[in-house]
Amino acid sequence: MGSEYARLQAAVASVREACGLEPRVGLTLGSGLGGFADHIDMAACVPYEQISGFPVSTVEGHAGRLIFGHVAGVPLVAMDGRVHLYEGYSPADVVAPVRVMGLLGAKAIILTNAAGGVASELEPGDLMLITDHLATLVPSPLAGPHEAELGPRFPSMTEVYTPRLRTLAHEAAHEAHVALKEGIYLQMPGPAYETPAEVRMAAALGADAVGMSTAIEAVAVHAMGLEMAGLSCITNKAAGLSSAPLSHEDVQAVAACASAGFTALLAHFIARLGA
Ligand code: HPA
């Protein structure tokens, strides 16, 4: 069996064949947030099927392509469509795209997602900057034989969401006239939404928002030593906190509604990352 690093290098080689742009920033676009792709001055677009060893997403609303281009003059690669554990992929598959963004040269990674609000002050449509996460309920992407190219055996997780980037995100929000809250993100395994009892558990554990992605990616990205920020679009109150049953369609619709603020914030944030 070949190493994970060798597999990722093959992916990097096939991406470089399709596009030579060296990204400074890597961005993942979460559920319903793919509209930001229209704000990228696109240089190339590489479908996941064309990338050696890349997992292909099966979820409706997740396109599955790497977009290369510029935002505010900053070279970036955006992952339009991520793959999730609940699709049956291994942890290594799930984090392969973010690792590839790092190996392509991105120095800062921005992870975005749609999430359910657990904290009472989080309302549908709010944007939340992730300050820390709980990844304990999902497997670690670092388990298995240690590959030093992808980080230390026992990486510190004290400051996963880079304080410098959090400051820049708040400055960008202020400049874009977008309200930006803060909170702790808990990754649940999915694909079912939580029960009200699980949401009470999330609150008791200290979570402000719950989702089905991001923390596992954040672990892999942080282990690689990259700067990182996480942004959640709160699409609903988590189960049991409002009378409405949850649906993927509603999650996507709210994310689409919030996308104007999200887009403005991201554009200002990326500009600051390039400065
Ligand atoms: N739970 C989990 N994932 C989600 C939610 C939620 O309430 N909303 C959007 N993604």
Side-chain angles (χ1 to χ4, degrees):
M1 204 183 77
S3 72
E4 185 58 22
Y5 183 61
R7 168 209 177 177
L8 295 169
Q9 280 200 309
V12 167
S14 62
V15 171
R16 286 225 171 98
E17 222 167 87
C19 179
L21 186 99
E22 176 152 337
R24 180 166 164 68
V25 172
L27 169 70
T28 66
L29 295 170
S31 282
L33 301 172
F36 185 76
D38 297 339
H39 298 269
I40 301 173
D41 183 8
M42 207 183 284
C45 173
V46 190
Y48 290 174
E49 305 90 84
Q50 284 179 19
I51 306 174
S52 163
F54 236 50
V56 177
S57 174
T58 59
V59 188
E60 233 174 279
H62 291 258
R65 53 189 186 151
L66 283 185
I67 299 169
F68 287 85
H70 293 84
V71 170
V74 180
L76 104 176
V77 54
M79 207 177 124
D80 187 14
R82 55 154 62 91
V83 292
H84 303 81
L85 284 172
Y86 62 72
E87 294 173 80
Y89 292 105
S90 68
D93 275 342
V94 169
V95 302
V98 286
R99 281 177 165 161
V100 164
M101 295 198 294
L103 294 173
L104 284 167
K107 303 280 177 276
I109 305 287
I110 308 170
L111 303 175
T112 74
N113 60 48
V118 173
S120 57
E121 57 276 19
L122 290 174
E123 298 291 335
D126 279 350
L127 298 179
M128 183 190 93
L129 184 67
I130 302 177
T131 54
D132 201 352
H133 72 219
L134 295 151
T136 320
L137 300 180
V138 292
S140 171
L142 308 178
H146 178 225
E147 297 192 36
E149 297 89 346
L150 300 175
R153 175 76 289 190
F154 301 109
S156 163
M157 289 285 143
T158 308
E159 279 182 344
V160 176
Y161 300 87
T162 317
R164 186 182 85 87
L165 264 50
R166 278 160 51 194
T167 302
L168 293 182
H170 280 298
E171 287 171 7
H174 184 74
E175 203 172 62
H177 305 291
V178 173
L180 182 59
K181 297 183 176 173
E182 278 198 340
I184 294 173
Y185 178 90
L186 166 69
Q187 180 168 355
M188 293 293 263
Y193 290 111
E194 299 71 35
T195 62
E198 286 166 335
V199 171
R200 286 194 295 276
M201 173 189 77
L205 292 176
D208 297 301
V210 283
M212 303 177 196
S213 65
T214 304
I216 186 170
E217 296 162 1
V219 170
V221 169
H222 186 62
M224 291 176 81
L226 303 174
E227 291 197 305
M228 181 173 46
L231 281 170
S232 293
C233 173
I234 304 300
T235 51
N236 54 280
K237 285 202 168 276
L241 300 179
S242 88
S243 52
L246 302 184
S247 82
H248 183 56
E249 290 68 32
D250 290 348
V251 163
Q252 286 189 292
V254 175
C257 281
S259 74
F262 175 79
T263 295
L265 168 60
L266 266 186
H268 282 86
F269 187 27
I270 293 166
R272 281 167 183 270
L273 289 176

